[in-house]
Amino acid sequence: YTLTGNPEDHDGFRDVPASHWAGQSIRALAASGVTGGYPDGTYKPAGQLSRAEFATFMARIMIQKGR
């Protein structure tokens, strides 16, 4: 899978500084429409990911790939 979004095109999340080890990957996923963060503008990078959230990410990826 190749991400379609450019991390430079996403403003980022207020709790993910540019220096965060996964910052560029998080912005790339957001710019590609795979993830969107929370309504308050955060991403909560240290939070746990539920199975439902992971399934949503995978479905978004598969839809983008036309499957």
Side-chain angles (χ1 to χ4, degrees), residues 25-64:
S25 296
I26 292 168
R27 285 189 305 280
L29 288 168
S32 297
V34 176
T35 188
Y38 291 90
D40 65 356
T42 62
Y43 188 76
K44 301 179 185 176
Q48 292 186 359
L49 182 68
S50 72
R51 289 178 10 192
E53 290 168 323
F54 181 77
T56 300
F57 293 162
M58 294 304 297
R60 289 176 182 163
I61 290 168
M62 292 173 74
I63 289 168
Q64 287 182 6

Side-chain angles (χ1 to χ4, degrees), residues 13 16-24 27:
F13 300 97
V16 182
S19 61
H20 190 280
W21 67 269
Q24 185 168 351
R27 285 189 305 280

